[in-house]
């Protein structure tokens, strides 16, 4: 009998996350694909000194980015508002000038948080590389910009590239629509985003899903994250009003 | 996606009132940019004026829109209140489900960009230099900015077009000899379409060639609002 | 109106391939996923000095590898039997000792062909990298073996890796089950293999499919190769007896 | 997948007839190797003896079989003549469709391998050295060989087990001080299970520890057919 990967509650699923952990948070930014219930459980757990790895991060609360109009947006800024996070690596933490400051920008201005801003394609490729056993790769993105500072430059066929290294984490909190009891995952629409790659790049991958089905309940052509990558699955309550 | 859409939107026009003729509105700039988009192309539009291009495609032109969050082939947005959070574009809006769409993850999305498979990207800018350097992700005095997909798009799309207002607040030039803002990518811009001009960048020779001016605007009028030296190479036509 | 990508025949689809071209051939090895009709058209075209890029290559004819028992296997050896190919880059060109020589091994022994043998994971990652704009990456595979000779070695976190470079081609001949008229592709079962990555890594990608459907005829969740990568599509005849 | 399955199969037993007792047959070797496979593991089995492990899993043990061509969760093969060419394993055979399977492309398949997500791989070998170097892809005198997925698996699986006949044709030792054949990966083998012994490789100390012998075989009997120096560390038990 394979290991039981199903956690009874969001609180149980994150209970062993210690202070000082690095945490990938899936999705793109916005409600779809964000593991919102797992994030709330981690906030409630109260551990501190966290390093967050996200993408578009913390701008929904002040801009409404990616959230339906009738809901109050929830975003990664919660860990900076609570003081739990001291660092974030992401691609888009700052909203436009016409918006109020985000929690992340406020924490950065007040010296409470380090913010490491990475080009989105480099960020996802670094995460993918960690899962794929590639310690480093070259990319053309960022050459001639502040992103290139201190990095190795190298020419291939007359063009200059930067060396970028794999980015892993202790935990990945991700969101899928369907899991089978073995841990195979299926996503819907644009909710894939950073979720599949993050699932491969963390020591422990925890998944929030709408539905857990028996083995065989996912079309073999639609397994978008292999069960091998998944450690824990939590099913949302039926009718959860959050996206 | 870059923040330039919202920041370039802070330009308040021409307070001194010495323009020779009206500047084009945002829609007209988008319409002019849309005219160059080639049927069947894979295109990524930034937020702000670039996103408006989709409303002004010439008849018979169908584009394949790509958004960084993992969608190809979307068209119009859902009605307010009807969007699906799992069907989002990179600007955080909710397009409708239409036939021929494709969903994929961020790895694939940036393979498409980094691999040079995007035919055209239309982006906003804070500054563009004479040699095509682009700055559109951070305002230095703010100290912190958002890169998003802008660096990947600017460095790797086959063609980079900037659609923006010609000047910033107080008619500060945005088209400059050298960017003073941190770059998004060096030497990447092919063409600039603004509310008073269309400028081609000949990167091989480092020349900015003025191709078109808004109705009532002369070469000298445009040059006066442009820090970079403009040149003429062929006829200058009136923007339409 | 978008460009018409549909070719009327396999011969038309390959007609512009010149002598000296490099050609990726999709699939894994075996009948499933192999663009067999496109391969036959290229053989009939008769151009020479070809470089082939494949995976398990040319062993089906003598071993039956990956072919149903009732059919005579067709494999990449055809280009070496015909003398059209002078080089192959692949991972598995040599059958076991109990089998007759393959066409590729015979061509190699007779000095008619160069055979470049690459670890399978390195081969697919090199192809993927070419499509993804990554000119080079580091991999642990091959360190301490003949594969490492002449390659840059570099340590990351105490482990040694090899630098491997992107591998592109002039043409990719690939196989999918379904295409829409725009060029989106869907695969069935294990036929994906090298096909999706090769589609991204060639200047011209030509696809052999069972069925061409209207735009909208493929589930947006099942577009496994994006239309942007596809240049030409050819539909097989209904009831084609080849897999 | 490596060629070792077919090549190690050329061993013709013990022509000199001086074995102290029968060697185990291939099924028994596979059965012994299968006993160490942990329930729920993601496992890749090479062709030959390794592939036979699947027939001898202990009760209650369920494994997730991976094959390089892009399949996870397959079980038994289809009946002869009933296989689907689009449902193949890496050995070119046709498994049945079973619930819980997953199909994917070769990029993903080797992410799983190279990324260290395969719990165990069981492979054949031409030679294994005292320090765990593995040679299983080319016979030098042939001059050409097939690598397939063998180098990725050997270098990156969490645990590498070799299941093979103890000696090659004419009782030539396959377990050697130093491999003379080109390597598949250096220092990768954790354990060797043969038709006369189970040997653990303690890579940290560079020692080959004899753990088990076939019924009727002593330490000295096994050592006589092993070029590498074997040591004892704890009890030697009888293989079963």
């Amino acid at each position: 009998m394979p290991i039981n990967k199903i956690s009874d509650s969001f609180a149980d699923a994150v209970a062993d996350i210690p202070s000082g952990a690095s945490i990938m948070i899936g999705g793109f930014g916005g409600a779809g694909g964000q593991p919102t219930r797992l994030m709330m459980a981690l906030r409630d757990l109260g551990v501190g000194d966290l390093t967050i790895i996200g993408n578009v991060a913390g701008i929904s609360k002040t801009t409404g980015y990616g959230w339906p109009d009738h809901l109050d947006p929830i975003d990664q800024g919660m860990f900076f508002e609570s003081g739990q996070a001291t660092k974030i690596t992401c691609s888009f933490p700052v909203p436009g000038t016409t918006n109020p400051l985000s929690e992340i920008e406020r924490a950065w201005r007040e010296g409470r948080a380090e913010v490491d801003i990475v080009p989105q394609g480099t960020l996802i490729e670094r995460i993918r590389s960690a899962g794929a056993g590639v310690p480093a790769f070259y990319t053309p993105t960022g050459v001639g910009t502040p992103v290139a500072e201190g990095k190795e430059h190298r020419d291939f066929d007359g063009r200059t590239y930067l060396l970028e290294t794999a980015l892993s984490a202790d935990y990945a909190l991700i969101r899928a629509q369907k899991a089978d009891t073995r841990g195979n995952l299926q996503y819907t629409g644009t909710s894939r985003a950073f979720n599949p790659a993050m699932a491969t790049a963390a020591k422990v991958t925890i998944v929030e899903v709408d539905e857990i089905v028996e083995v065989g309940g996912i079309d073999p052509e639609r397994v978008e994250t292999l069960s091998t990558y998944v450690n824990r699955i939590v099913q949302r309550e039926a009718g959860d009003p959050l996206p | 996606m870059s923040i330039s859409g919202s920041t370039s939107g802070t330009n308040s026009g021409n307070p001194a009132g010495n323009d020779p003729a009206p500047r084009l509105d945002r829609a007209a700039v988008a319409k002019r940019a849309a005219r160059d988009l080639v049927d069947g192309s894979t295109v990524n539009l930034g937020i702000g004026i670039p996103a408006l291009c989709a409303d002004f495609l010439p008849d018979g032109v169908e584009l394949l829109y790509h958004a960084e969050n993992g969608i190809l082939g979307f068209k119009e947005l859902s009605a307010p209140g009807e969007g699906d959070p799992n069907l989002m574009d990179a600007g955080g809006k909710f397009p409708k489900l239409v036939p021929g769409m494709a969903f994929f993850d961020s790895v694939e999305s940036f393979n498409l960009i980094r691999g040079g498979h995007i035919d055209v990207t239309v982006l906003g800018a804070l500054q563009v230099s004479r040699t095509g350097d682009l700055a559109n992700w951070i305002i230095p005095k703010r100290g912190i900015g958002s890169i998003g997909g802008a660096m990947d798009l600017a460095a790797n799309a086959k063609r980079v077009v900037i659609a923006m207002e010609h000047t910033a607040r107080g008619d500060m030039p945005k088209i400059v000899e050298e960017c003073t803002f941190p770059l998004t990518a060096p030497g990447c811009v092919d063409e600039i379409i603004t509310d008073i001009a269309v400028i081609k960048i000949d990167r091989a020779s480092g020349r900015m060639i003025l191709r078109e001016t808004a109705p009532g605007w002369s070469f000298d009028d445009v040059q006066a609002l442009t820090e970079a030296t403009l040149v003429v190479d062929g006829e200058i036509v009136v923007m339409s």
Side-chain angles (χ1 to χ4, degrees), chain A residues 101-123:
Chain A
L101 287 189
S102 71
E103 297 291 351
I104 293 174
E105 185 169 0
R106 176 173 296 120
W108 177 79
R109 287 185 184 226
E110 293 172 2
R112 292 186 282 114
E114 183 184 343
V115 180
D116 175 24
I117 303 158
V118 179
Q120 197 168 127
T122 300
L123 183 61

Side-chain angles (χ1 to χ4, degrees), chain B residues 39 42 60 62 64 72 99-104 107-108 111-112 114-115 117:
Chain B
D39 188 39
T42 300
E62 207 177 309
L64 213 51
L72 186 68
M101 286 174 84
F103 302 128
F104 39 92
V107 172
E108 173 62 27
N111 290 354
L112 200 73
R114 196 189 316 97
H117 307 284

Side-chain angles (χ1 to χ4, degrees), chain A residues 1-2 128 131-133 182 184 200 215-216 220-221 223 226-229:
Chain A
M1 294 290 295
R128 182 248 174 208
R182 187 182 282 173
N184 290 308
T200 71
V215 168
E221 308 278 7
V223 176
L226 299 174
S227 60
T228 300
Y229 296 119

Side-chain angles (χ1 to χ4, degrees), chain A:
Chain A
M1 294 290 295
I3 310 144
N4 179 19
K5 296 181 177 180
I6 301 171
S7 294
D8 288 334
S9 71
F10 292 101
D12 282 0
V14 303
D16 69 345
I17 298 182
S19 286
S22 56
I23 319 272
M24 289 177 174
I25 295 182
F28 184 81
Q34 176 174 276
T36 307
R37 292 285 173 200
L38 284 170
M39 290 163 62
M40 293 165 81
L42 176 60
R43 184 193 53 194
D44 294 347
L45 183 67
V47 291
D49 197 22
L50 299 176
T51 293
I52 304 293
I53 298 164
N55 176 39
V56 173
I59 70 163
S60 292
K61 192 175 167 190
T62 55
T63 69
Y65 179 93
W67 277 76
D69 292 336
H70 66 282
L71 292 171
D72 288 333
I74 293 167
D75 66 33
Q76 297 173 26
M78 68 167 72
F79 304 113
F80 296 84
E81 188 176 11
S82 67
Q84 289 174 279
T86 52
K87 180 175 178 188
I88 186 163
T89 295
C90 62
S91 83
F92 206 101
V94 177
T97 47
T98 55
N99 300 106
L101 287 189
S102 71
E103 297 291 351
I104 293 174
E105 185 169 0
R106 176 173 296 120
W108 177 79
R109 287 185 184 226
E110 293 172 2
R112 292 186 282 114
E114 183 184 343
V115 180
D116 175 24
I117 303 158
V118 179
Q120 197 168 127
T122 300
L123 183 61
I124 187 64
E125 187 70 8
R126 290 178 63 196
I127 293 167
R128 182 248 174 208
S129 293
V134 169
F137 62 92
Y138 290 93
T139 178
T141 303
V143 171
T145 79
V147 160
E149 280 166 25
K151 288 183 185 148
E152 177 185 317
H153 289 59
R154 183 158 174 172
D155 287 2
F156 294 91
D157 283 334
R159 189 172 179 191
T160 303
Y161 298 83
L162 300 180
L163 184 70
E164 295 281 359
T165 55
L167 180 64
S168 60
D170 298 321
Y171 292 84
L173 309 186
I174 68 166
R175 176 84 162 92
Q177 278 59 55
K178 211 192 238 191
D180 69 20
T181 54
R182 187 182 282 173
N184 290 308
L185 304 183
Q186 180 181 315
Y187 304 90
T188 298
T190 54
S191 75
R192 302 188 196 189
F194 275 58
N195 286 307
M198 285 179 169
T200 71
K203 293 192 194 88
V204 179
T205 294
I206 309 174
V207 192
E208 171 178 347
V209 296
D210 296 321
E211 186 187 9
I212 299 176
V213 298
E214 290 304 307
V215 168
I218 299 181
D219 180 346
E221 308 278 7
R222 288 295 315 279
V223 176
E224 287 129 7
T225 289
L226 299 174
S227 60
T228 300
Y229 296 119
V230 172
N231 300 95
R232 298 174 200 158
I233 314 162
V234 203
Q235 182 172 311
R236 288 170 152 236
E237 282 184 25
D240 189 325
L242 284 181

Side-chain angles (χ1 to χ4, degrees), chain B residues 12 25 27 57 59 167 183 186 194 197 217 221 232:
Chain B
S12 53
D25 63 17
L57 290 185
D59 284 349
T167 58
L183 296 189
T194 77
W217 287 74
D221 296 330
V232 182

Side-chain angles (χ1 to χ4, degrees), chain B residues 8-193:
Chain B
S8 69
T10 60
N11 173 28
S12 53
N14 174 38
N18 50 7
D19 281 359
R23 301 188 192 192
L24 302 184
D25 63 17
R26 291 160 61 91
V29 176
K31 187 175 177 185
R32 176 60 192 81
R35 216 174 65 203
D36 293 341
L37 298 172
V38 175
D39 188 39
S41 302
T42 300
V43 174
N44 186 300
L45 302 178
I47 56 175
I49 295 176
L52 298 178
C53 290
D55 297 335
F56 297 104
L57 290 185
D59 284 349
V61 171
E62 207 177 309
L63 302 178
L64 213 51
Y65 293 114
H66 169 260
E68 292 94 309
N69 61 317
I71 182 170
L72 186 68
F74 61 99
K75 294 195 194 311
E76 70 267 44
L77 297 180
S78 299
E82 289 186 1
D84 174 355
N86 290 330
L87 208 173
M88 190 178 82
D89 68 20
K93 308 296 185 194
F94 305 115
K96 285 184 186 166
L97 185 67
V98 293
M101 286 174 84
F103 302 128
F104 39 92
D105 79 342
S106 295
V107 172
E108 173 62 27
S109 193
F110 281 86
N111 290 354
L112 200 73
I113 298 175
R114 196 189 316 97
H117 307 284
I118 302 289
D119 294 307
V120 188
T121 187
V122 184
L123 299 171
L126 297 168
Q127 293 182 328
V128 182
S129 82
R130 182 170 48 77
T131 55
D133 295 352
L134 171 65
N136 77 351
W137 73 277
I138 188 169
I139 300 164
K141 70 178 179 200
R142 190 164 181 175
I144 188 170
S146 282
I147 297 173
M151 285 193 183
D152 288 281
L153 282 165
N156 300 300
K158 287 182 196 157
R159 181 170 171 78
V160 177
V161 175
I162 301 301
M164 65 175 190
E165 284 141 353
H166 201 90
T167 58
R169 197 190 296 269
D171 271 348
M172 278 287 288
K174 297 173 71 172
I175 301 174
V176 294
E177 272 298 307
E178 296 267 356
C179 293
T180 54
F181 288 9
L183 296 189
T184 303
C188 65
V189 177
D190 294 285
E191 194 167 40
I192 310 169
I193 295 169

